Amino acid sequence: MPDFTRREMMRTGALAAAGLALGAGLAKGVAAQDSMPTAGGGVDLFAGAFDDEGRGVLPSLRYGFDAVDRAIDAQTMEIHHDRHHQGYVNGFNSTLDALAAARESNDFASIEHLSKKLTFHGGGHVLHSLLWDTIGPDGGGAPSGALAEAIARDFGSFETFSAQFTQAAGSVEGSGWGLLVYHLGAKRLLIQQVQNQNLLSMHATVPLLGVDVWEHAYYLRYQNRRGDYVRAFMDIVEWPRVAARYDAVTTALG
Ligand code: MN3
C-alpha cells in the first residue's frame, strides 16, 4: 500500500482502518505470519511475534542475513536472530509454562525467580522483534510525515535527535538498548536507555525504534567501538516502518 494511502487512512481515525494499514505495512517484516488487526479492531504492533495463545514466536526476517552488511555482518545477524532471539522466545514460553504449573499446584516458592525471568525474556522477545522489523537494506535518511514533525517538536531537529539517540545508546552501562519511545501519558517522544532488556522502564511507553548494544549485537566487527556501530546502525533504520508504528500508536491511543 502506498504511503500516501496509508496516511489518508490514518487521518480517518478509524481503528480498523489503522489496523489494516499497519498490518499491510508490517506484513513484509513477518513474512511467515499473518499480520492482521487484532480481534477487537486494534493495532497489532507485534504481529508474527506471538501466537493466538499469547506465546512467543520467532518472527521471520523479510531480508537475508547479509542484507544490512554495511552496518552489521551476516554472521552476527544469523547468530543474533537464530540463537539469541530464539533463546528469549524459548525462555519466555518456558516461563509461561512454569507459571501455569505454579498456579496449578498452588506452589509459588519460585515466583520471584519466575517473575524476573518473565520480564527478562519477554522484554528480549519484544525488543528483538521490534529491531528486525525496523531495520533493512532500504534504511537510512530521515523520517517524513507525522513522525518527522514529532521529532522536530520533541528534540528540536532530526540532527539533535540523532545526536541524543546515538549518545544514549553508546553510553548504556553494560548490556542494554537505546530506545525511541512514545510516552502514552506525556504524549511525547522520549529517548530511553534500557539496561539488559527489562530495566529502567517508565511503564507508559511504546517502543518505536531500538538499537541493541549488547556485545553480541556488534562485537565481531566493531569490538569495543560501540559508537561506530551505533552510527552505522542509523544507516539501516527504515524510517517509514518506524513512522508506521508512530502513526498506529498515536491514532489508536493518542
Ligand atoms: Mn540482542
Side-chain angles (χ1 to χ4, degrees), residues 80-81 84-85 88 124 127-128 131-132 176-177 197 212-217 229:
H80 200 176
H81 178 268
H84 288 278
H85 189 172
Y88 302 133
L127 291 181
H128 286 87
L131 171 65
W132 310 132
W177 292 70
Q197 41 216 14
D212 185 341
V213 294
W214 289 51
E215 286 185 347
H216 67 228
Y229 155 69

Side-chain angles (χ1 to χ4, degrees), residues 9-144:
M9 292 177 70
M10 292 295 177
R11 284 195 193 98
T12 69
L15 294 188
L20 283 165
L22 184 72
L26 298 182
K28 287 185 296 181
V30 288
Q33 305 293 331
D34 181 18
S35 58
M36 293 301 289
T38 55
V43 175
D44 188 352
L45 296 173
F46 293 94
F50 295 90
D51 67 17
D52 291 342
E53 280 74 50
R55 300 175 68 83
V57 176
L58 184 69
S60 305
L61 300 183
R62 69 179 189 285
Y63 41 76
F65 292 125
D66 59 352
V68 292
D69 181 71
R70 67 182 185 272
I72 304 171
D73 63 276
Q75 186 182 9
T76 295
M77 286 292 292
E78 181 172 5
I79 293 170
H80 200 176
H81 178 268
D82 286 5
R83 300 192 209 170
H84 288 278
H85 189 172
Q86 184 70 65
Y88 302 133
V89 171
N90 295 347
F92 180 68
N93 290 337
S94 66
T95 305
L96 292 177
D97 291 339
L99 287 166
R103 289 191 295 272
E104 184 88 9
S105 61
N106 196 32
D107 177 1
F108 293 101
S110 300
I111 192 63
E112 185 179 2
H113 170 69
L114 292 176
S115 298
K116 286 177 179 168
K117 276 191 62 170
L118 183 72
T119 309
F120 178 80
H121 290 289
H125 179 42
V126 162
L127 291 181
H128 286 87
S129 299
L130 172 74
L131 171 65
W132 310 132
D133 187 71
T134 49
I135 64 173
D138 298 326
S144 59

